Amino acid sequence: LRFTEGEYTIQYGDLKDVSVERWNTVLNLSDSTMVGGSISLSDYYYSWDPGADGDETLERNRFEDVTLYAYKDRVGTALTIRNNVFYRSKLTIEGDYSDTVTIKGNSFLDLDRVAVSSRGNLDATGNYWGTTDLAIIDRMIDDGIDQGTENRVSYLPLQAASANYFVVRYDSQGGSVVQSDTVELYSQLTQPVSPVKDNYAFAGWYQ
């Protein structure tokens, strides 16, 4: 899939064996699943140049065997990557992004591989890394810094960062699976996609 000119949103997508690219446009991806395939060194090459015409958001997605590459060099625009699940996947951020890239509330589930790669200063605090062992998390991040010097990527794990984040899990009572979400205290929870079940009509969520 290649997107050019304009602004596009992929939501509730089930993407398999797909290469997604955008050029000189804005692309938002949410509430979707990408899995399978084989391109380059990993199974997906999701490439976008954030901020061609506006802010972009990548949220509440599940990535399995996916390579995500973002090149950020526009001033005054932002890229937000939040509340995603990365499994056997790698996120690479390049360019001049200083304060314009936010990586928060994501889950990186593999302790034996690089999950995030960056050559600039990047704030990746408030994420779940599967461990609070900073030595293990440091190995999951490639920031071009030798061991023993200050890291470019800040990665204070979710469990140790604050008690102000919560994981919300949805029980669909035998319906289709609804992905969990990570929310901050006092923030508004985004309503998830409604589950479906044969011979039933979904009436709403309750606590």
Side-chain angles (χ1 to χ4, degrees), residues 56-93:
E56 293 182 298
T57 301
L58 179 70
E59 62 181 346
R60 299 187 307 276
N61 302 288
R62 179 179 182 271
F63 298 103
E64 181 176 345
D65 297 313
V66 179
T67 294
L68 300 100
Y69 174 83
Y71 184 84
K72 179 78 172 84
D73 66 351
R74 304 297 179 103
V75 176
T77 59
L79 168 64
T80 301
I81 301 173
R82 63 189 175 204
N83 300 334
N84 300 283
V85 176
F86 295 91
Y87 177 57
R88 295 199 305 261
S89 299
K90 181 180 179 181
L91 172 63
T92 299
I93 307 291

mmCIF file of all heavy atoms in Angstrom, residues 56-93:
data_model
loop_
_atom_site.group_PDB
_atom_site.id
_atom_site.type_symbol
_atom_site.label_atom_id
_atom_site.label_comp_id
_atom_site.label_asym_id
_atom_site.label_seq_id
_atom_site.Cartn_x
_atom_site.Cartn_y
_atom_site.Cartn_z
ATOM 1 N N GLU A 56 0.962 13.173 13.045
ATOM 2 C CA GLU A 56 0.568 11.793 12.775
ATOM 3 C C GLU A 56 0.562 10.984 14.068
ATOM 4 O O GLU A 56 1.341 11.251 14.984
ATOM 5 C CB GLU A 56 1.504 11.150 11.753
ATOM 6 C CG GLU A 56 1.378 11.787 10.378
ATOM 7 C CD GLU A 56 2.258 11.127 9.349
ATOM 8 O OE1 GLU A 56 3.484 11.150 9.518
ATOM 9 O OE2 GLU A 56 1.711 10.606 8.372
ATOM 10 N N THR A 57 -0.323 9.986 14.105
ATOM 11 C CA THR A 57 -0.461 9.162 15.305
ATOM 12 C C THR A 57 -0.516 7.695 14.934
ATOM 13 O O THR A 57 -1.185 7.296 13.987
ATOM 14 C CB THR A 57 -1.742 9.534 16.082
ATOM 15 O OG1 THR A 57 -1.689 10.911 16.436
ATOM 16 C CG2 THR A 57 -1.867 8.703 17.348
ATOM 17 N N LEU A 58 0.180 6.903 15.726
ATOM 18 C CA LEU A 58 0.193 5.446 15.591
ATOM 19 C C LEU A 58 -0.221 4.916 16.953
ATOM 20 O O LEU A 58 0.551 4.984 17.904
ATOM 21 C CB LEU A 58 1.597 4.986 15.215
ATOM 22 C CG LEU A 58 1.876 3.511 15.044
ATOM 23 C CD1 LEU A 58 1.178 2.998 13.800
ATOM 24 C CD2 LEU A 58 3.376 3.275 14.943
ATOM 25 N N GLU A 59 -1.457 4.404 17.095
ATOM 26 C CA GLU A 59 -1.943 4.059 18.429
ATOM 27 C C GLU A 59 -2.867 2.844 18.424
ATOM 28 O O GLU A 59 -3.582 2.579 17.472
ATOM 29 C CB GLU A 59 -2.665 5.246 19.064
ATOM 30 C CG GLU A 59 -3.896 5.717 18.312
ATOM 31 C CD GLU A 59 -4.549 6.917 18.969
ATOM 32 O OE1 GLU A 59 -4.222 7.236 20.136
ATOM 33 O OE2 GLU A 59 -5.401 7.543 18.318
ATOM 34 N N ARG A 60 -2.800 2.110 19.546
ATOM 35 C CA ARG A 60 -3.659 0.953 19.811
ATOM 36 C C ARG A 60 -3.576 -0.093 18.696
ATOM 37 O O ARG A 60 -4.575 -0.693 18.314
ATOM 38 C CB ARG A 60 -5.109 1.395 20.032
ATOM 39 C CG ARG A 60 -5.302 2.329 21.214
ATOM 40 C CD ARG A 60 -6.783 2.587 21.480
ATOM 41 N NE ARG A 60 -7.479 3.050 20.298
ATOM 42 C CZ ARG A 60 -7.508 4.320 19.902
ATOM 43 N NH1 ARG A 60 -6.882 5.254 20.586
ATOM 44 N NH2 ARG A 60 -8.159 4.662 18.806
ATOM 45 N N ASN A 61 -2.363 -0.346 18.215
ATOM 46 C CA ASN A 61 -2.154 -1.368 17.200
ATOM 47 C C ASN A 61 -1.357 -2.528 17.785
ATOM 48 O O ASN A 61 -0.676 -2.387 18.800
ATOM 49 C CB ASN A 61 -1.384 -0.793 16.008
ATOM 50 C CG ASN A 61 -2.093 0.379 15.377
ATOM 51 O OD1 ASN A 61 -3.120 0.233 14.718
ATOM 52 N ND2 ASN A 61 -1.544 1.574 15.561
ATOM 53 N N ARG A 62 -1.444 -3.660 17.115
ATOM 54 C CA ARG A 62 -0.631 -4.821 17.482
ATOM 55 C C ARG A 62 0.260 -5.171 16.291
ATOM 56 O O ARG A 62 -0.226 -5.387 15.181
ATOM 57 C CB ARG A 62 -1.512 -6.024 17.833
ATOM 58 C CG ARG A 62 -0.715 -7.269 18.208
ATOM 59 C CD ARG A 62 -1.639 -8.431 18.576
ATOM 60 N NE ARG A 62 -0.893 -9.600 18.968
ATOM 61 C CZ ARG A 62 -0.466 -10.542 18.121
ATOM 62 N NH1 ARG A 62 -0.735 -10.423 16.831
ATOM 63 N NH2 ARG A 62 0.199 -11.592 18.564
ATOM 64 N N PHE A 63 1.571 -5.190 16.533
ATOM 65 C CA PHE A 63 2.537 -5.489 15.488
ATOM 66 C C PHE A 63 3.279 -6.772 15.832
ATOM 67 O O PHE A 63 3.836 -6.908 16.921
ATOM 68 C CB PHE A 63 3.540 -4.344 15.346
ATOM 69 C CG PHE A 63 2.919 -3.038 14.951
ATOM 70 C CD1 PHE A 63 2.727 -2.045 15.890
ATOM 71 C CD2 PHE A 63 2.531 -2.812 13.642
ATOM 72 C CE1 PHE A 63 2.155 -0.838 15.535
ATOM 73 C CE2 PHE A 63 1.961 -1.613 13.275
ATOM 74 C CZ PHE A 63 1.768 -0.621 14.217
ATOM 75 N N GLU A 64 3.270 -7.694 14.899
ATOM 76 C CA GLU A 64 3.987 -8.953 15.075
ATOM 77 C C GLU A 64 4.889 -9.182 13.875
ATOM 78 O O GLU A 64 4.436 -9.162 12.733
ATOM 79 C CB GLU A 64 3.001 -10.120 15.218
ATOM 80 C CG GLU A 64 3.673 -11.452 15.427
ATOM 81 C CD GLU A 64 2.692 -12.583 15.664
ATOM 82 O OE1 GLU A 64 1.510 -12.289 15.951
ATOM 83 O OE2 GLU A 64 3.105 -13.757 15.581
ATOM 84 N N ASP A 65 6.191 -9.385 14.118
ATOM 85 C CA ASP A 65 7.182 -9.536 13.056
ATOM 86 C C ASP A 65 7.132 -8.343 12.109
ATOM 87 O O ASP A 65 7.036 -8.504 10.887
ATOM 88 C CB ASP A 65 6.950 -10.840 12.289
ATOM 89 C CG ASP A 65 7.127 -12.064 13.154
ATOM 90 O OD1 ASP A 65 8.141 -12.124 13.876
ATOM 91 O OD2 ASP A 65 6.249 -12.945 13.144
ATOM 92 N N VAL A 66 7.225 -7.161 12.678
ATOM 93 C CA VAL A 66 7.102 -5.928 11.897
ATOM 94 C C VAL A 66 8.323 -5.052 12.109
ATOM 95 O O VAL A 66 8.812 -4.923 13.232
ATOM 96 C CB VAL A 66 5.836 -5.138 12.313
ATOM 97 C CG1 VAL A 66 5.726 -3.842 11.524
ATOM 98 C CG2 VAL A 66 4.593 -5.982 12.125
ATOM 99 N N THR A 67 8.844 -4.472 11.025
ATOM 100 C CA THR A 67 9.867 -3.444 11.129
ATOM 101 C C THR A 67 9.213 -2.106 10.805
ATOM 102 O O THR A 67 8.647 -1.939 9.733
ATOM 103 C CB THR A 67 11.023 -3.690 10.157
ATOM 104 O OG1 THR A 67 11.704 -4.889 10.538
ATOM 105 C CG2 THR A 67 12.006 -2.542 10.170
ATOM 106 N N LEU A 68 9.275 -1.179 11.750
ATOM 107 C CA LEU A 68 8.682 0.144 11.560
ATOM 108 C C LEU A 68 9.795 1.175 11.490
ATOM 109 O O LEU A 68 10.656 1.226 12.372
ATOM 110 C CB LEU A 68 7.727 0.482 12.709
ATOM 111 C CG LEU A 68 6.552 -0.473 12.880
ATOM 112 C CD1 LEU A 68 6.825 -1.448 13.996
ATOM 113 C CD2 LEU A 68 5.273 0.294 13.141
ATOM 114 N N TYR A 69 9.769 1.964 10.436
ATOM 115 C CA TYR A 69 10.810 2.967 10.232
ATOM 116 C C TYR A 69 10.166 4.330 10.047
ATOM 117 O O TYR A 69 9.271 4.498 9.229
ATOM 118 C CB TYR A 69 11.643 2.620 9.003
ATOM 119 C CG TYR A 69 12.655 3.683 8.636
ATOM 120 C CD1 TYR A 69 13.892 3.733 9.275
ATOM 121 C CD2 TYR A 69 12.369 4.633 7.672
ATOM 122 C CE1 TYR A 69 14.816 4.711 8.959
ATOM 123 C CE2 TYR A 69 13.288 5.613 7.345
ATOM 124 C CZ TYR A 69 14.505 5.650 7.985
ATOM 125 O OH TYR A 69 15.408 6.621 7.669
ATOM 126 N N ALA A 70 10.608 5.313 10.834
ATOM 127 C CA ALA A 70 10.078 6.674 10.709
ATOM 128 C C ALA A 70 11.236 7.650 10.576
ATOM 129 O O ALA A 70 12.186 7.594 11.351
ATOM 130 C CB ALA A 70 9.219 7.045 11.907
ATOM 131 N N TYR A 71 11.146 8.530 9.588
ATOM 132 C CA TYR A 71 12.148 9.570 9.424
ATOM 133 C C TYR A 71 11.477 10.918 9.670
ATOM 134 O O TYR A 71 10.575 11.319 8.960
ATOM 135 C CB TYR A 71 12.751 9.545 8.019
ATOM 136 C CG TYR A 71 13.868 10.545 7.848
ATOM 137 C CD1 TYR A 71 15.163 10.228 8.234
ATOM 138 C CD2 TYR A 71 13.613 11.805 7.321
ATOM 139 C CE1 TYR A 71 16.192 11.137 8.090
ATOM 140 C CE2 TYR A 71 14.645 12.730 7.183
ATOM 141 C CZ TYR A 71 15.937 12.386 7.572
ATOM 142 O OH TYR A 71 16.953 13.291 7.434
ATOM 143 N N LYS A 72 11.908 11.610 10.735
ATOM 144 C CA LYS A 72 11.260 12.848 11.161
ATOM 145 C C LYS A 72 12.207 14.017 10.977
ATOM 146 O O LYS A 72 13.236 14.087 11.629
ATOM 147 C CB LYS A 72 10.853 12.739 12.636
ATOM 148 C CG LYS A 72 10.195 13.999 13.172
ATOM 149 C CD LYS A 72 8.753 14.081 12.704
ATOM 150 C CE LYS A 72 8.047 15.228 13.399
ATOM 151 N NZ LYS A 72 8.265 16.518 12.755
ATOM 152 N N ASP A 73 11.870 14.954 10.086
ATOM 153 C CA ASP A 73 12.749 16.107 9.890
ATOM 154 C C ASP A 73 11.969 17.397 9.646
ATOM 155 O O ASP A 73 12.532 18.385 9.204
ATOM 156 C CB ASP A 73 13.713 15.859 8.738
ATOM 157 C CG ASP A 73 13.004 15.744 7.395
ATOM 158 O OD1 ASP A 73 11.761 15.694 7.388
ATOM 159 O OD2 ASP A 73 13.704 15.719 6.365
ATOM 160 N N ARG A 74 10.675 17.389 9.930
ATOM 161 C CA ARG A 74 9.874 18.598 9.744
ATOM 162 C C ARG A 74 9.731 19.328 11.072
ATOM 163 O O ARG A 74 9.557 18.718 12.118
ATOM 164 C CB ARG A 74 8.486 18.258 9.187
ATOM 165 C CG ARG A 74 8.513 17.458 7.874
ATOM 166 C CD ARG A 74 9.166 18.236 6.758
ATOM 167 N NE ARG A 74 9.202 17.457 5.538
ATOM 168 C CZ ARG A 74 8.372 17.654 4.511
ATOM 169 N NH1 ARG A 74 7.459 18.616 4.574
ATOM 170 N NH2 ARG A 74 8.455 16.908 3.434
ATOM 171 N N VAL A 75 9.766 20.665 11.025
ATOM 172 C CA VAL A 75 9.657 21.479 12.230
ATOM 173 C C VAL A 75 8.188 21.820 12.481
ATOM 174 O O VAL A 75 7.441 22.134 11.559
ATOM 175 C CB VAL A 75 10.472 22.777 12.088
ATOM 176 C CG1 VAL A 75 10.287 23.667 13.301
ATOM 177 C CG2 VAL A 75 11.943 22.449 11.877
ATOM 178 N N GLY A 76 7.763 21.757 13.740
ATOM 179 C CA GLY A 76 6.409 22.171 14.096
ATOM 180 C C GLY A 76 5.351 21.115 13.921
ATOM 181 O O GLY A 76 4.162 21.393 14.050
ATOM 182 N N THR A 77 5.719 19.883 13.615
ATOM 183 C CA THR A 77 4.767 18.778 13.521
ATOM 184 C C THR A 77 5.208 17.673 14.471
ATOM 185 O O THR A 77 6.343 17.652 14.927
ATOM 186 C CB THR A 77 4.675 18.224 12.088
ATOM 187 O OG1 THR A 77 5.974 17.772 11.689
ATOM 188 C CG2 THR A 77 4.195 19.303 11.127
ATOM 189 N N ALA A 78 4.302 16.752 14.751
ATOM 190 C CA ALA A 78 4.584 15.759 15.791
ATOM 191 C C ALA A 78 4.231 14.355 15.325
ATOM 192 O O ALA A 78 3.342 14.161 14.491
ATOM 193 C CB ALA A 78 3.805 16.094 17.054
ATOM 194 N N LEU A 79 4.927 13.379 15.895
ATOM 195 C CA LEU A 79 4.639 11.966 15.699
ATOM 196 C C LEU A 79 4.389 11.360 17.070
ATOM 197 O O LEU A 79 5.234 11.468 17.958
ATOM 198 C CB LEU A 79 5.806 11.261 15.010
ATOM 199 C CG LEU A 79 5.764 9.728 14.999
ATOM 200 C CD1 LEU A 79 4.566 9.248 14.201
ATOM 201 C CD2 LEU A 79 7.057 9.166 14.422
ATOM 202 N N THR A 80 3.230 10.738 17.246
ATOM 203 C CA THR A 80 2.880 10.122 18.523
ATOM 204 C C THR A 80 2.703 8.624 18.332
ATOM 205 O O THR A 80 1.902 8.191 17.496
ATOM 206 C CB THR A 80 1.580 10.724 19.088
ATOM 207 O OG1 THR A 80 1.757 12.136 19.273
ATOM 208 C CG2 THR A 80 1.232 10.086 20.423
ATOM 209 N N ILE A 81 3.446 7.838 19.103
ATOM 210 C CA ILE A 81 3.365 6.376 19.069
ATOM 211 C C ILE A 81 2.975 5.937 20.464
ATOM 212 O O ILE A 81 3.783 6.010 21.395
ATOM 213 C CB ILE A 81 4.712 5.765 18.648
ATOM 214 C CG1 ILE A 81 5.125 6.282 17.265
ATOM 215 C CG2 ILE A 81 4.625 4.241 18.635
ATOM 216 C CD1 ILE A 81 6.513 5.860 16.849
ATOM 217 N N ARG A 82 1.728 5.488 20.654
ATOM 218 C CA ARG A 82 1.255 5.211 22.011
ATOM 219 C C ARG A 82 0.305 4.011 22.040
ATOM 220 O O ARG A 82 -0.427 3.745 21.096
ATOM 221 C CB ARG A 82 0.552 6.437 22.587
ATOM 222 C CG ARG A 82 -0.699 6.852 21.849
ATOM 223 C CD ARG A 82 -1.230 8.193 22.338
ATOM 224 N NE ARG A 82 -2.363 8.623 21.532
ATOM 225 C CZ ARG A 82 -2.748 9.887 21.402
ATOM 226 N NH1 ARG A 82 -2.078 10.843 22.023
ATOM 227 N NH2 ARG A 82 -3.786 10.199 20.660
ATOM 228 N N ASN A 83 0.362 3.299 23.153
ATOM 229 C CA ASN A 83 -0.574 2.206 23.437
ATOM 230 C C ASN A 83 -0.575 1.129 22.352
ATOM 231 O O ASN A 83 -1.618 0.582 22.004
ATOM 232 C CB ASN A 83 -1.996 2.752 23.637
ATOM 233 C CG ASN A 83 -2.086 3.724 24.792
ATOM 234 O OD1 ASN A 83 -1.295 3.662 25.725
ATOM 235 N ND2 ASN A 83 -3.038 4.634 24.721
ATOM 236 N N ASN A 84 0.612 0.837 21.805
ATOM 237 C CA ASN A 84 0.763 -0.239 20.833
ATOM 238 C C ASN A 84 1.452 -1.437 21.483
ATOM 239 O O ASN A 84 2.134 -1.302 22.503
ATOM 240 C CB ASN A 84 1.604 0.225 19.639
ATOM 241 C CG ASN A 84 0.993 1.407 18.922
ATOM 242 O OD1 ASN A 84 0.042 1.258 18.160
ATOM 243 N ND2 ASN A 84 1.539 2.597 19.160
ATOM 244 N N VAL A 85 1.281 -2.599 20.873
ATOM 245 C CA VAL A 85 1.976 -3.809 21.314
ATOM 246 C C VAL A 85 2.933 -4.235 20.210
ATOM 247 O O VAL A 85 2.525 -4.414 19.050
ATOM 248 C CB VAL A 85 0.974 -4.947 21.616
ATOM 249 C CG1 VAL A 85 1.732 -6.222 21.975
ATOM 250 C CG2 VAL A 85 0.043 -4.555 22.750
ATOM 251 N N PHE A 86 4.226 -4.385 20.553
ATOM 252 C CA PHE A 86 5.249 -4.793 19.605
ATOM 253 C C PHE A 86 5.752 -6.176 19.998
ATOM 254 O O PHE A 86 6.319 -6.355 21.076
ATOM 255 C CB PHE A 86 6.407 -3.801 19.613
ATOM 256 C CG PHE A 86 6.042 -2.428 19.135
ATOM 257 C CD1 PHE A 86 5.611 -1.461 20.032
ATOM 258 C CD2 PHE A 86 6.117 -2.101 17.789
ATOM 259 C CE1 PHE A 86 5.271 -0.187 19.606
ATOM 260 C CE2 PHE A 86 5.784 -0.839 17.347
ATOM 261 C CZ PHE A 86 5.351 0.127 18.247
ATOM 262 N N TYR A 87 5.555 -7.144 19.104
ATOM 263 C CA TYR A 87 5.982 -8.515 19.343
ATOM 264 C C TYR A 87 6.885 -8.943 18.196
ATOM 265 O O TYR A 87 6.486 -8.890 17.026
ATOM 266 C CB TYR A 87 4.767 -9.438 19.447
ATOM 267 C CG TYR A 87 5.100 -10.903 19.620
ATOM 268 C CD1 TYR A 87 5.897 -11.344 20.675
ATOM 269 C CD2 TYR A 87 4.611 -11.849 18.729
ATOM 270 C CE1 TYR A 87 6.208 -12.678 20.830
ATOM 271 C CE2 TYR A 87 4.908 -13.192 18.886
ATOM 272 C CZ TYR A 87 5.712 -13.603 19.928
ATOM 273 O OH TYR A 87 6.016 -14.936 20.079
ATOM 274 N N ARG A 88 8.121 -9.322 18.526
ATOM 275 C CA ARG A 88 9.127 -9.651 17.508
ATOM 276 C C ARG A 88 9.204 -8.526 16.478
ATOM 277 O O ARG A 88 9.301 -8.781 15.271
ATOM 278 C CB ARG A 88 8.817 -10.986 16.834
ATOM 279 C CG ARG A 88 8.904 -12.198 17.751
ATOM 280 C CD ARG A 88 9.047 -13.500 16.971
ATOM 281 N NE ARG A 88 7.985 -13.681 16.009
ATOM 282 C CZ ARG A 88 6.914 -14.436 16.209
ATOM 283 N NH1 ARG A 88 6.775 -15.080 17.361
ATOM 284 N NH2 ARG A 88 5.985 -14.568 15.286
ATOM 285 N N SER A 89 9.175 -7.306 16.938
ATOM 286 C CA SER A 89 9.135 -6.150 16.056
ATOM 287 C C SER A 89 10.164 -5.116 16.485
ATOM 288 O O SER A 89 10.608 -5.098 17.636
ATOM 289 C CB SER A 89 7.734 -5.525 16.048
ATOM 290 O OG SER A 89 6.770 -6.444 15.583
ATOM 291 N N LYS A 90 10.519 -4.227 15.550
ATOM 292 C CA LYS A 90 11.530 -3.214 15.826
ATOM 293 C C LYS A 90 11.051 -1.863 15.309
ATOM 294 O O LYS A 90 10.553 -1.741 14.196
ATOM 295 C CB LYS A 90 12.858 -3.586 15.161
ATOM 296 C CG LYS A 90 13.980 -2.579 15.422
ATOM 297 C CD LYS A 90 15.261 -3.030 14.737
ATOM 298 C CE LYS A 90 16.384 -2.017 14.956
ATOM 299 N NZ LYS A 90 17.627 -2.435 14.284
ATOM 300 N N LEU A 91 11.240 -0.844 16.141
ATOM 301 C CA LEU A 91 10.853 0.521 15.814
ATOM 302 C C LEU A 91 12.115 1.356 15.650
ATOM 303 O O LEU A 91 12.923 1.451 16.570
ATOM 304 C CB LEU A 91 9.971 1.096 16.923
ATOM 305 C CG LEU A 91 9.610 2.574 16.851
ATOM 306 C CD1 LEU A 91 8.788 2.867 15.607
ATOM 307 C CD2 LEU A 91 8.859 2.994 18.110
ATOM 308 N N THR A 92 12.299 1.947 14.470
ATOM 309 C CA THR A 92 13.470 2.781 14.196
ATOM 310 C C THR A 92 13.032 4.208 13.914
ATOM 311 O O THR A 92 12.174 4.443 13.056
ATOM 312 C CB THR A 92 14.264 2.249 12.992
ATOM 313 O OG1 THR A 92 14.723 0.921 13.274
ATOM 314 C CG2 THR A 92 15.465 3.141 12.696
ATOM 315 N N ILE A 93 13.606 5.163 14.653
ATOM 316 C CA ILE A 93 13.296 6.575 14.478
ATOM 317 C C ILE A 93 14.572 7.296 14.076
ATOM 318 O O ILE A 93 15.597 7.185 14.745
ATOM 319 C CB ILE A 93 12.753 7.207 15.780
ATOM 320 C CG1 ILE A 93 11.575 6.402 16.328
ATOM 321 C CG2 ILE A 93 12.352 8.660 15.543
ATOM 322 C CD1 ILE A 93 10.333 6.478 15.498
#
